[in-house]
């Protein structure tokens, strides 16, 4: 009762009614957060017998105004908490005695939103719920799993996905004029969309539930059977959340492109048709198992596209034809041939243009081109957008325009990418902590969910219409002209133009988000399969924990090598075409979780490649020898890459694994 009717409603209400500007912040990358000022969850208070707490109690008793009676356990914790707050401590009450000596207050940096509940208190509140799980609910057996954990799961998912989740999914039987999956609100606003700050907090704490379970299991506080039952519940919840989030991303992707075409007055079915209110995907599956010809086909397509481009003159300046298509409007069956022209000053023009057009026409009175023809527009600035908890009702088709469809979908899609990144980022640590309890059923759930997340990011990154929408959103947020944006991006070492380097553009097109998500999903899948494949030689894996034994190595072998081959080939192809264009400091500044400011495959996938190479180091001699015909040619290619860190690990593999096979070491 206390959890369901007091704590959770209070926390949720505080999150929904926080209207400070923190709710409008959207990071430029999932791995490079603009919300590093958020507070952190506090550690659990120490036991009454803790040595540091005893020192604090002794110091308090020797103070001039100390009470004559001794402080009880609860009072001692309260006094230590007050001392920690007064002197700028880190929340660890075991070190509170060091703050009682009149030390100056530590400076942890200025909090930009000191009055915001989300910025200062939300992480602590959600951390408290996770601590309640570890200290109480995990010890309550069936009652905890069936009655109490679902209550916590509801708020974890509400902050990670929104509430209720069905509001964000396409619903059958909807009005064909209602195309938004974001704004299906009831009269009292029952559908709630969390801001990025809440998404980050919710996903971190949700991922921490498995770590808490591992800590309790390591202490021996639960039987092995209880740990297995709890792991099954938590792992299935995590996998389902990853799957649901990927489904939301797919819907948002299609909704954004459809809204863009509707705002321009175009009925186009390239990305899907609505059947009974659902989007039926028409993107051809372009990546299959063991498909080694993908990269060659992509290069051929890029070359053929480049050959067909032609320069034309339009009423608004010289441009290059980047695409041609045939559209059909609602009120006529006539087919109209549309050319997509990228103008030299950055805008994109859609219309019927022959190969040669008359000289440019100077606009009268220096007026700007009509926004219904040119998609270079200026939506409402980010700072003036409505609060994330106040989403407008779903509009009809005619309510969409070039000025509002970006504001409706691009930030939401970015936030979904953030959720995917955090869930993927924490999963390897979760798998490592629970590796003795992983069963085949949970493995298949994780692999299916992660593959859906990976496939979504892969397809989104190849969608030119989506890339264009992200670029337009970036320009509108800068609220400057094209030249000012180009100068600013150039100062950051980026460009907003699309370069034919493996199909990757390098500024504002969403690649930073989708490449990070794709890399994170690949890294989690490979780590899971690697743990299973090397379990027999891993002393940390206790086979006695398994209720039913299963052939982990046989299950993981083919899947692992397929993933490894695909990722390494993709990395090498990108490194050959793009790597030489990067400054050496870019390689040195990358992070293992994909945190990079340069959205390229070779930079985003460095962390995945490092995970693969470290996996090779722990292969048994028989495992390494069995796959040497695949591994050795790749190692030879990796010797030439720009990343010094990658080359160092390759050297270690050659010395340890290859050297032992040839009898040198």
């Amino acid at each position: 009762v206390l959890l369901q009717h007091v704590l959770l409603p209070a926390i949720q209400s505080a999150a929904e009614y926080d209207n400070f500007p923190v709710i409008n912040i959207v990071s430029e990358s999932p791995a490079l957060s603009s919300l590093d000022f958020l507070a952190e969850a506090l550690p659990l208070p120490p036991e009454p017998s803790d040595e540091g707490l005893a020192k604090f109690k002794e110091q308090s008793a020797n103070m001039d105004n100390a009470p004559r009676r001794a402080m009880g356990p609860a009072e001692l914790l309260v006094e230590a908490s007050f001392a920690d707050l007064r002197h700028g401590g880190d929340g660890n009450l075991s070190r509170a005695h060091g703050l009682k000596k009149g030390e100056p207050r530590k400076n942890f940096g200025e909090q930009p939103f000191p009055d915001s509940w989300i910025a200062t208190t939300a992480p602590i509140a959600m951390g408290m719920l996770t601590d309640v799980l570890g200290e109480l609910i995990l010890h309550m057996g069936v009652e905890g799993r069936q009655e109490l954990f679902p209550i916590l799961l509801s708020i974890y998912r509400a902050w990670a996905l929104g509430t209720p989740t069905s509001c964000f999914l396409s619903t059958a039987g909807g009005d064909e004029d209602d195309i938004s999956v974001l704004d299906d609100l009831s009269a009292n606003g029952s559908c709630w969309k969390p801001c990025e700050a809440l998404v980050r907090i919710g996903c971190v704490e949700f991922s921490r539930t498995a770590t808490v379970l591992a800590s309790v299991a390591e202490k021996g506080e639960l039987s092995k059977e209880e740990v297995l039952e709890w792991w099954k519940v938590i792992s299935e919840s995590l996998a389902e959340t990853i799957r649901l989030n990927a489904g939301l991303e797919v819907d948002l992707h299609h909704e954004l492109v459809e809204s863009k075409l509707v705002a321009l007055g175009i009925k186009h079915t390239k990305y899907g048709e609505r059947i009974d209110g659902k989007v039926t995907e028409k993107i051809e599956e372009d990546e299959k198992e063991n498909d080694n010809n993908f990269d060659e086909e992509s290069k051929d397509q890029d070359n053929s596209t480049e050959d067909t481009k032609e320069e034309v003159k339009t009423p608004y300046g010289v441009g290059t034809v980047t695409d041609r298509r045939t559209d059909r409007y609602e009120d006529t069956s006539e087919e109209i041939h549309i050319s997509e022209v990228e103008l030299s000053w950055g805008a994109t023009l859609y219309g019927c243009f022959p190969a040669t057009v008359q000289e440019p026409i100077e606009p009268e009175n220096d007026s700007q081109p009509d926004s219904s023809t040119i998609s270079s527009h200026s939506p409402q600035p980010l700072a003036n957008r409505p609060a994330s908890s106040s989403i407008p009702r779903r509009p009809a088709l005619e309510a969409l325009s070039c000025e509002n469809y970006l504001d409706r979908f691009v930030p939401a899609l970015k936030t979904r990418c953030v959720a995917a990144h955090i869930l993927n980022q924490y999963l390897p640590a979760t798998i490592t902590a629970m590796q003795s309890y992983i069963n085949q059923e949970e493995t298949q759930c994780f692999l299916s969910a992660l593959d859906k997340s990976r496939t979504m990011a892969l397809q989104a990154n190849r969608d030119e219409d989506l890339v264009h929408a992200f670029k337009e959103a970036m320009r509108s947020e800068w609220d400057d002209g094209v030249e000012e944006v180009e100068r600013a991006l150039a100062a950051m070492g980026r460009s907003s133009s699309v370069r034919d380097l493996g199909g990757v553009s390098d500024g504002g097109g969403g690649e930073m988000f989708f490449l990070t998500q794709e890399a994170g999903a690949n890294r989690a899948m490979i780590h899971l399969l690697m743990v299973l494949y090397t379990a027999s030689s891993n002393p940390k894996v206790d086979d006695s924990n398994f209720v039913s034994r299963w052939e982990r190595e046989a299950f993981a072998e083919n899947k692992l090598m397929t993933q490894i081959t695909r990722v390494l080939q993709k990395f090498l192809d990108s490194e050959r075409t793009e790597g030489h264009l990067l400054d050496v400091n870019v390689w040195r500044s990358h992070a293992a979780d994909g945190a990079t400011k340069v959205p390229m495959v070779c930079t985003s996938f460095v962390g995945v490649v490092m995970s693969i190479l470290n996996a090779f180091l722990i292969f048994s001699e028989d495992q390494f020898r069995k796959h040497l015909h695949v591994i050795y040619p790749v190692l030879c290619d990796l010797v030439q890459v720009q990343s010094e860190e990658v080359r160092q690990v390759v050297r270690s593999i050659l010395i340890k694994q290859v050297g032992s096979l040839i009898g040198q070491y």
Side-chain angles (χ1 to χ4, degrees):
V1 174
L2 181 65
L3 190 65
Q4 186 171 9
H5 298 289
V6 179
L7 288 178
L8 263 64
I11 292 173
Q12 185 64 24
S13 296
E16 292 187 21
Y17 289 99
D18 189 329
N19 291 318
F20 285 91
V22 67
I23 64 177
N24 293 321
I25 296 177
V26 179
S27 301
E28 66 173 8
S29 167
L32 297 172
S33 174
S34 299
L35 296 156
D36 51 0
F37 54 82
L38 293 176
E40 296 182 357
L42 297 177
L44 282 170
E47 297 290 335
S49 58
D50 179 75
E51 181 180 354
L53 208 57
K55 291 181 179 180
F56 176 83
K57 183 177 181 180
E58 181 181 353
Q59 289 179 355
S60 299
N62 295 330
M63 294 179 63
D64 295 337
N65 56 350
R68 295 182 179 179
R69 59 178 178 80
M71 290 187 290
E75 186 179 8
L76 180 60
L77 290 175
V78 171
E79 289 297 327
S81 299
F82 283 149
D84 182 80
L85 290 173
R86 284 194 299 268
H87 298 279
D90 58 1
N92 189 339
L93 302 187
S94 295
R95 295 197 288 263
H97 65 279
L99 304 173
K100 292 287 292 183
K101 301 176 182 179
E103 296 179 353
R105 182 181 179 89
K106 299 179 182 178
N107 183 16
F108 291 98
E110 184 179 356
Q111 168 59 256
F113 305 104
D115 296 327
S116 169
W117 184 88
I118 292 176
T120 59
T121 312
I124 299 173
M126 288 296 284
M128 174 194 66
L129 295 180
T130 307
D131 291 337
V132 169
L133 172 69
E135 295 297 309
L136 298 175
I137 298 178
L138 290 180
H139 301 270
M140 300 178 68
V142 176
E143 180 185 2
R145 287 191 292 274
Q146 295 182 356
E147 298 182 14
L148 298 178
F149 181 74
I151 298 175
L152 290 183
L153 179 61
S154 65
I155 194 167
Y156 286 141
R157 280 193 175 158
W159 284 31
L161 304 176
T163 180
T165 305
S166 58
C167 288
F168 294 83
L169 299 174
S170 300
T171 55
D175 187 346
E176 64 178 4
D177 287 343
D178 293 339
I179 68 170
S180 173
V181 296
L182 281 178
D183 305 319
D184 188 14
L185 292 176
S186 62
N188 58 359
S190 60
C191 186
W192 175 69
K193 183 186 71 171
C195 62
E196 182 185 326
L198 293 177
V199 168
R200 288 185 178 273
I201 296 168
C203 289
V204 167
E205 289 303 321
F206 190 16
S207 300
R208 201 163 68 90
T209 56
T211 307
V212 169
L213 174 61
S215 177
V216 172
E218 186 178 0
K219 295 176 182 177
E221 298 177 3
L222 294 177
S223 66
K224 294 179 179 179
E225 291 75 15
E226 276 292 298
V227 176
L228 283 168
E229 290 298 322
W230 271 110
W231 167 242
K232 181 179 180 180
V233 171
I234 293 176
S235 63
E236 288 178 354
S237 301
L238 282 169
E240 180 66 8
T241 303
I242 294 172
R243 188 192 66 80
L244 285 173
N245 187 71
L248 297 180
E249 290 182 285
V250 171
D251 277 351
L252 285 169
H253 174 187
H254 290 293
E255 294 285 0
L256 191 156
V257 174
E258 185 181 352
S259 299
K260 171 184 174 182
L261 298 176
V262 169
L264 297 172
I266 301 172
K267 183 180 181 181
H268 189 33
T269 59
K270 177 180 178 182
Y271 300 93
E273 293 178 341
R274 286 199 163 263
I275 301 176
D276 295 332
K278 294 184 179 180
V279 175
T280 302
E281 187 175 342
K282 285 187 173 291
I283 300 178
E284 181 180 359
E285 182 66 29
D286 53 4
E287 184 181 52
K288 299 179 180 179
E289 204 74 17
N290 299 318
D291 183 5
N292 297 323
N293 298 323
F294 166 74
D295 294 296
E296 298 298 329
E297 294 173 0
S298 297
K299 293 176 183 177
D300 293 340
Q301 291 174 0
D302 291 339
N303 293 335
S304 62
T305 301
E306 182 69 22
D307 294 339
T308 58
K309 290 182 179 179
E310 55 182 307
E311 190 174 89
V312 297
K313 294 182 179 180
T314 74
Y316 307 103
V318 178
T320 302
V321 177
T322 58
D323 188 23
R324 297 186 188 276
R325 63 172 182 251
T326 301
D327 297 319
R328 182 179 291 106
Y329 289 78
E330 294 182 354
D331 55 351
T332 178
S333 60
E334 180 184 1
E335 292 185 350
I336 301 177
H337 301 284
I338 301 294
S339 297
E340 179 179 330
V341 179
E342 184 177 345
L343 299 178
S344 59
W345 50 276
T348 301
L349 189 65
Y350 298 89
C352 303
F353 301 107
T356 304
V357 184
Q358 290 81 8
E359 292 296 322
I361 302 173
E362 293 295 331
E364 296 182 5
N365 300 325
D366 296 328
S367 60
Q368 295 296 324
D370 182 35
S371 61
S372 64
T373 306
I374 298 181
S375 61
S376 179
H377 40 72
S378 300
Q380 184 179 357
L382 185 63
N384 298 329
R385 293 175 188 170
S388 58
S389 57
S390 304
I391 313 169
R393 291 184 62 86
R394 174 183 292 183
L397 292 176
E398 56 269 16
L400 287 172
S401 68
C402 295
E403 286 74 22
N404 65 21
Y405 81 89
L406 291 176
D407 288 345
R408 295 166 50 76
F409 293 105
V410 173
L413 189 51
K414 288 182 177 180
T415 303
R416 294 299 97 228
C417 290
V418 169
H421 167 70
I422 295 177
L423 293 171
N424 295 340
Q425 180 187 20
Y426 279 83
L427 195 54
T430 296
I431 293 168
T432 300
M434 299 300 299
Q435 57 188 329
S436 296
Y437 301 90
I438 299 175
N439 226 322
Q440 185 170 353
E441 183 180 354
E442 295 109 41
T443 300
Q444 290 174 332
C445 288
F446 275 127
L447 291 177
S448 175
L450 289 168
D451 188 63
K452 184 172 183 179
S453 179
R454 178 191 67 86
T455 303
M456 180 276 152
L458 180 68
Q459 292 179 345
N461 201 36
R462 294 177 182 167
D463 189 337
E464 293 182 0
D465 282 309
L466 189 63
V467 169
H468 174 264
F470 269 73
K471 287 178 178 292
E472 293 299 311
M474 178 194 67
R475 288 170 176 164
S476 69
E477 289 175 8
W478 283 75
D479 199 25
D480 272 324
V482 176
E483 295 181 357
E484 287 79 359
V485 174
E486 292 289 352
R487 284 197 295 268
L489 289 175
M492 297 165 58
R494 295 160 59 185
S495 169
S496 66
S497 61
V498 178
R499 300 181 308 179
D500 291 327
L501 298 172
V504 180
S505 63
D506 58 347
E511 301 88 353
M512 189 80 75
F513 288 85
F514 300 121
L515 282 176
T516 301
Q517 178 177 337
E518 183 187 352
N522 275 300
R523 181 168 176 259
M525 294 173 70
I526 290 172
H527 184 84
L528 172 57
L529 294 170
M530 182 271 295
V531 166
L532 297 176
Y533 188 56
T534 60
S536 59
S537 58
N538 188 347
K540 295 183 180 180
V541 176
D542 182 6
D543 281 339
S544 64
N545 289 343
F546 285 89
V547 175
S548 59
R549 296 179 179 272
W550 61 295
E551 295 295 332
R552 292 162 290 180
E553 184 174 334
F555 174 88
E557 184 174 14
N558 290 336
K559 295 180 176 63
L560 176 62
M561 295 311 298
T562 298
Q563 285 292 110
I564 284 176
T565 303
R566 178 188 296 140
V567 168
L568 290 179
Q569 190 60 52
K570 186 169 186 174
F571 172 80
L572 287 169
D573 289 343
S574 174
E575 209 277 340
R576 290 190 191 102
T577 56
E578 302 173 301
H580 66 281
L581 301 173
L582 298 174
D583 187 272
V584 65
N585 293 320
V586 173
W587 293 106
R588 294 172 179 170
S589 63
H590 84 275
D593 59 357
T596 175
K597 292 185 178 181
V598 182
M600 295 180 179
V601 172
C602 57
T603 54
S604 300
F605 275 64
V606 170
V608 191
V609 172
M610 293 297 296
S611 297
I612 293 172
L613 297 179
N614 287 321
F616 289 160
L617 284 171
I618 63 175
F619 274 17
S620 68
E621 184 175 329
D622 291 339
Q623 290 172 336
F624 193 84
R625 179 186 292 108
K626 183 177 182 179
H627 299 288
L628 184 62
H629 66 286
V630 175
I631 298 174
Y632 186 72
V634 175
L635 293 177
C636 294
D637 289 334
L638 289 172
V639 169
Q640 307 177 69
V641 300
Q642 301 290 324
S643 173
E644 182 179 353
E645 187 176 5
V646 170
R647 296 197 304 270
Q648 288 176 349
V649 182
V650 170
R651 176 182 179 275
S652 299
I653 296 172
L654 293 174
I655 293 175
K656 177 183 177 182
Q657 299 285 34
V658 179
S660 64
L661 292 180
I662 62 177
Q664 295 298 317
Y665 298 94

